[in-house]
Amino acid sequence: MILEHLEASLYQTIEEKAINCYTLRTFHFFMKMYGLVNSEERGKDRIASKLFIKKTSVLDQVFRFEA
């Protein structure tokens, strides 16, 4: 349903916009703000960079993942 409300641009597909929005809101505005993850962008510039995310010990204290 979200994809129906987004428009493609010259630089991003609808799917890329949705992924970027989810990543920004989930990891930067929520998980990083509460200390659940650390993130670092690596690359020579903003366009070519990759985002690396690493969980913190706080994440393990708050959530338990079982297989």
Side-chain angles (χ1 to χ4, degrees):
M1 290 171 54
I2 292 172
L3 298 179
E4 295 172 4
H5 298 283
L6 296 175
E7 293 182 19
S9 70
L10 184 61
Y11 304 104
Q12 287 184 315
T13 65
I14 293 172
E15 291 81 7
E16 289 170 331
K17 275 189 171 185
I19 289 168
N20 288 338
C21 181
Y22 176 82
T23 301
L24 181 69
R25 291 179 184 198
T26 301
F27 292 104
H28 288 285
F29 294 151
F30 177 73
M31 295 182 123
K32 190 171 182 181
M33 185 172 64
Y34 287 103
L36 301 173
V37 299
N38 291 320
S39 64
E40 176 185 355
E41 284 191 49
R42 297 181 198 160
K44 55 184 172 183
D45 58 34
R46 180 104 169 120
I47 295 172
S49 68
K50 298 223 182 252
L51 181 64
F52 291 85
I53 299 170
K54 184 175 181 179
K55 70 176 184 164
T56 66
S57 61
V58 176
L59 183 76
D60 290 327
Q61 294 170 2
V62 175
F63 296 101
R64 181 174 60 194
F65 299 98
E66 296 180 3

